[in-house]
Amino acid sequence: MAIPLFQLKQQIVDACHRVYAKGWVASNDGNLSVRVDGERILCTPTGISKGLVAVDDLCVIDMEGNKLEGATHRKPSTEMKVHLMAYKERPDVVSVVHAHPPYATGYALAGLDLGECKLPEVVIALGTIPLTKYGLPGTDDLPNKMREFIHQSDAFLMELHGVLTVGQSVLNAYFKMETVEHFAKIDFIARQLGGARLFSKEQAEELLAARARYGVTTPNIGCRAADGYAYPPEFRDHPGPGANPGPGIPDDRLVEEVTKRVVQALKAKN
Ligand SMILES: [Zn+2]
């Protein structure tokens, strides 16, 4: 049954306040949205802190981004182009959250993805968290660059920018943002301690196979394990989008990554 608009508004406002309280945005950064029905999206407006946003500030837009409802002085967030791309490409997506949580955004700025198999919950819930290609915010460039990644996961590090998560409800998309930031923070700490160890392919594939038990059905194309790429059961016989060179590492990045690792290995030897 469809959730009434007033309830969706409250859910978005609550999530905005949490995002702000968590320190995942500064000033007027970040944007959130939720599908109202097949043709309408409820979204945050531009130019307001997520810590101050109230139900009357929200806008309803159509699938092309035109404002249908909302206070006259409020305009939909300029980043709705990215949200609309996600809704159009993924009919399963009900809500989208974009923020700049410091640890995960640090990875996005350093050019690192979160595509390695490390924490059980992350392997099960998200698999890889790819690093999408940079696109100019507020323009069609950003959704166009992110489109190629949108079917790979429910969470994305946006190169030189921030993080985007999608979910089956506002809370679900919000929780995925929480998972990404928590994972990035833990991995950052592990790096200070000499680097995290990865699951073996066998251990990771065991976790990926457990997704069905937990009722996780969202896209998951696996992750990089210690001894190779770990695929979820559905891709094992016929490698899907996770086929070599591995998701999150498009061809040009793979060359870059291999070069970087070879240089590192040579340096370590000398
Ligand atoms: Zn942003």
Side-chain angles (χ1 to χ4, degrees):
M1 206 181 70
I3 301 172
L5 186 59
F6 79 93
Q7 271 184 27
L8 291 175
K9 285 184 177 177
Q10 197 55 55
Q11 289 179 7
I12 288 282
V13 167
D14 289 347
C16 281
H17 293 174
R18 285 198 198 101
V19 163
Y20 184 78
K22 286 271 189 181
W24 296 344
V25 287
S27 183
N28 298 335
D29 300 343
N31 33 76
L32 290 82
S33 70
V34 62
R35 238 188 244 274
V36 179
D37 52 36
E39 283 122 43
R40 294 182 301 160
I41 303 292
L42 175 71
C43 69
T44 49
T46 188
I48 185 170
S49 163
K50 299 301 135 346
L52 300 174
V53 78
V55 287
D56 292 341
D57 296 316
L58 304 180
C59 298
V60 176
I61 58 171
D62 65 16
M63 296 304 285
E64 304 313 312
N66 303 305
K67 184 177 157 189
L68 302 174
E69 287 172 46
T72 41
H73 65 294
R74 291 294 178 207
K75 284 199 187 92
S77 161
T78 53
E79 230 48 283
M80 279 308 119
K81 289 174 194 290
V82 175
H83 293 230
L84 290 170
M85 179 278 290
Y87 290 122
K88 285 179 187 172
E89 291 283 328
R90 297 262 311 264
D92 62 307
V93 168
V94 176
S95 180
V96 179
V97 174
H98 165 59
H100 309 149
Y103 284 91
T105 302
Y107 278 73
L109 265 55
L112 299 168
D113 66 14
L114 285 165
E116 294 179 335
C117 306
K118 292 168 188 169
L119 281 179
E121 287 81 358
V122 177
V123 174
I124 291 170
L126 297 169
T128 193
I129 302 168
L131 175 69
T132 66
K133 289 180 194 148
Y134 176 77
L136 184 65
T139 70
D140 288 329
D141 186 35
L142 188 51
N144 288 344
K145 295 273 175 58
M146 292 187 73
R147 188 173 284 112
E148 69 173 287
F149 299 91
I150 198 73
H151 296 279
Q152 295 186 357
S153 180
D154 274 3
F156 312 88
L157 299 185
M158 301 159 72
E159 187 177 33
L160 295 169
H161 185 161
V163 182
L164 186 93
T165 54
V166 300
Q168 283 60 55
S169 68
V170 175
L171 200 58
N172 184 259
Y174 166 83
F175 277 147
K176 280 171 186 155
M177 185 66 72
E178 199 168 81
T179 297
V180 172
E181 178 63 352
H182 197 230
F183 181 33
K185 190 172 180 180
I186 291 169
D187 191 58
F188 180 81
I189 292 168
R191 281 171 186 263
Q192 315 309 304
L193 298 170
R197 289 165 52 212
L198 307 191
F199 285 126
S200 68
K201 196 165 178 282
E202 194 187 342
Q203 287 171 323
E205 292 194 337
E206 213 169 54
L207 287 166
L208 289 164
R211 292 166 66 233
R213 270 209 313 278
Y214 293 100
V216 182
T217 55
T218 52
N220 184 320
I221 52 168
C223 43
R224 298 191 298 278
D227 52 347
Y229 195 86
Y231 292 101
E234 60 267 36
F235 293 149
R236 251 171 244 168
D237 296 331
H238 305 284
N244 283 338
I249 307 194
D251 289 349
D252 53 338
R253 285 240 180 82
L254 183 74
V255 173
E256 240 173 71
E257 183 65 24
V258 169
T259 312
K260 198 169 84 189
R261 288 189 191 182
V262 169
V263 170
Q264 274 169 356
L266 287 173
K267 270 188 193 160
K269 267 191 166 177
N270 294 331

